[in-house]
């Protein structure tokens, strides 16, 4: 079965989605945390609440350092691990500095999600540096005319037993294509996750059923008043 993550830093949204479906955890990034900054005293407080909630539900929390140099990534990562616990997964974009940080941190036993992956070679380098998970950013790839389905297929073909988390979706079709290409894990924002429940087709379909019943029986419930 596919592993499913919610891409969010909003604890109310996270609680709500967990109350509806089974999730494997939560992913965040600096932009998502910046968006929900007014809800909490500080991003680290938000992350602490989210981390407690997610781990108590048996899931994993994936958090990205803000710093982009090797040392800054390490500093942010160590701070996050200290504040949120050693079981936190550190999301690191696969730049040159990122790769060096992946290598160092994975050597320390830290769980790494290699992020912002747009090519086979980035994925290969990240796994070989010790990342447990590689995250292909599908919509961002598509916006730059990169065939994310091919990227996923080629990485999965060479690293079949490794976790491949498809991320960065603008719509549910992209997520479907990512899984058909071999992604074993998905992370979606809640508006994309629930988008197919809110289409005009769905609205019309349920309204049609209700309308035909109401026309025949004069009310819109089966249950007697
Ligand atoms: O977790 C990955 C994700 O946050 C990237 O998404 O929508 O900023 O491309 P996006």
């Amino acid at each position: 079965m596919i592993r499913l993550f919610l891409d969010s830093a909003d604890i109310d949204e996270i609680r709500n989605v967990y109350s509806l479906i089974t999730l494997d955890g939560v992913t965040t990034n600096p932009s998502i945390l910046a968006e929900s900054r007014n809800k909490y005293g500080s991003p680290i407080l938000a992350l602490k609440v989210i981390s407690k909630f997610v781990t108590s539900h048996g899931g994993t929390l994936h958090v990205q350092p803000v710093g982009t140099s090797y040392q800054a990534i390490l500093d942010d990562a160590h701070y996050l691990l200290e504040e949120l616990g050693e079981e936190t997964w550190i999301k690191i974009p696969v730049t040159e500095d990122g790769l060096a940080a992946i290598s160092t941190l994975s050597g320390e036993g830290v769980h790494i999600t290699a992020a912002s992956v747009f090519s086979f070679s980035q994925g290969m380098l990240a796994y070989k540096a010790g990342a447990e998970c590689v995250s292909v950013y599908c919509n961002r790839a598509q916006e730059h005319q990169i065939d994310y389905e091919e990227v996923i297929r080629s990485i999965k073909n060479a690293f079949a037993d490794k976790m491949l988390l498809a991320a960065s979706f603008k719509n549910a079709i992209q997520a479907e294509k990512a899984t058909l290409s071999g992604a074993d894990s998905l992370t979606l924002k809640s508006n994309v996750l629930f988008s197919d429940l809110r289409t005009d087709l769905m609205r019309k379909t349920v309204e049609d059923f209700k309308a035909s019943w109401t026309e025949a029986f004069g009310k819109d419930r089966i249950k007697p008043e």
Side-chain angles (χ1 to χ4, degrees):
M1 199 190 332
I2 192 121
R3 272 181 289 239
L4 181 61
F5 295 81
L6 187 67
D7 207 18
S8 176
D10 180 335
I11 187 65
D12 298 326
E13 179 180 76
I14 292 167
R15 282 205 180 97
N16 179 45
V17 178
Y18 263 87
S19 74
L20 296 172
I21 59 172
T22 309
L23 287 169
D24 295 280
V26 167
T27 58
T28 66
N29 66 36
S31 310
I32 297 174
L33 277 158
E35 268 169 38
S36 56
R37 72 184 181 284
N38 293 330
K39 269 201 156 175
Y40 310 91
S42 79
I44 202 71
L45 281 181
L47 285 169
K48 278 186 179 176
V49 176
I50 294 166
S51 172
K52 207 168 162 199
F53 180 84
V54 170
T55 50
S56 74
H57 285 77
T60 53
L61 175 64
H62 302 237
V63 188
Q64 183 170 323
V66 176
T68 53
S69 69
Y70 169 72
Q71 196 53 53
I73 297 170
L74 290 192
D75 290 349
D76 274 359
H78 287 137
Y79 175 71
L80 288 167
L81 292 163
E82 229 171 79
E83 293 294 321
L84 306 176
E86 299 291 317
E87 70 284 2
T88 309
W89 286 56
I90 304 297
K91 254 175 93 172
I92 303 179
V94 188
T95 57
E96 278 191 76
D97 284 43
L99 191 73
I102 289 171
S103 185
T104 301
L105 290 165
S106 65
E108 295 171 7
V110 177
H111 301 294
I112 304 291
T113 295
S116 304
V117 167
F118 301 108
S119 70
F120 170 78
S121 77
Q122 275 181 300
M124 175 176 68
L125 288 166
Y127 285 136
K128 292 291 187 185
E132 285 172 67
C133 170
V134 156
S135 186
V136 175
Y137 280 22
C138 300
N139 188 60
R140 285 181 190 258
Q142 188 174 315
E143 281 180 349
H144 288 80
Q145 288 72 52
I146 296 167
D147 182 352
Y148 66 85
E149 294 172 78
E150 186 56 31
V151 174
I152 292 171
R153 270 195 299 274
S154 61
I155 295 176
K156 210 54 198 177
N157 180 54
F159 299 93
D161 54 334
K162 295 281 193 186
M163 181 174 175
L164 192 153
L165 173 68
S168 173
F169 296 113
K170 201 170 65 183
N171 58 60
I173 300 280
Q174 290 174 328
E176 182 183 339
K177 286 183 176 169
T179 44
L180 287 171
S181 306
D184 53 78
S185 310
L186 291 176
T187 184
L188 291 112
K189 298 195 169 61
S190 78
N191 63 327
V192 175
L193 184 58
F194 295 115
S195 58
D196 284 350
L197 279 49
R198 298 167 180 158
T199 58
D200 288 344
L201 172 63
M202 276 311 294
R203 262 189 293 278
K204 182 170 175 350
T205 300
V206 296
E207 283 309 318
D208 283 352
F209 287 126
K210 191 161 79 175
S212 48
W213 174 277
T214 308
E215 199 184 313
F217 302 109
K219 60 194 185 79
D220 64 2
R221 298 287 162 88
I222 295 181
K223 189 179 172 198
E225 313 250 319

